[in-house]
Amino acid sequence: MAMSQESAEVVGLKALEWLTGQEDVLPIFMGSTGASADDVRSGAADPAFLGAVLDFILMDDAWVQSMCDAAGLAYDRPMAARAMLPGGEAMHWT
């Protein structure tokens, strides 16, 4: 099912909400990205930041499952949303 930019941003916001509630995962995100607490707060309005949050969560299947279960999303929605946000375009190497 195709996803609109707006729907992708909603999924990104749900991912950010989940991430900020994960005391064990949030510090990993902040450490690996260099994001500050202010960046995380202001990032909610930035589709590129939401894409980065989805990139991070998509690195671990357990995180994807936990986030989707918490948000009531199908497990394929984060990847579909990521494709619709800035930087999520498919790479063509040839």
Side-chain angles (χ1 to χ4, degrees):
M1 172 195 304
M3 181 176 288
S4 69
Q5 172 83 23
E6 184 177 328
S7 295
E9 289 179 21
V10 169
V11 173
L13 286 169
K14 289 180 179 191
L16 181 59
E17 178 182 16
W18 175 84
L19 180 62
T20 58
Q22 302 304 304
E23 293 180 11
D24 56 335
V25 181
L26 182 60
I28 299 168
F29 173 77
M30 293 175 75
S32 65
T33 63
S36 68
D38 287 337
D39 294 332
V40 172
R41 279 189 286 279
S42 65
D46 181 1
F49 186 83
L50 296 175
V53 168
L54 287 169
D55 279 338
F56 177 78
I57 291 172
L58 286 165
M59 292 190 320
D60 187 308
D61 288 344
W63 295 344
V64 171
Q65 290 175 337
S66 178
M67 187 277 288
C68 288
D69 289 346
L73 298 171
Y75 296 145
D76 65 339
R77 296 291 75 198
M79 182 67 78
R82 181 61 192 109
M84 293 302 298
L85 295 172
E89 302 83 16
M91 292 285 225
H92 298 285
W93 297 100
T94 59

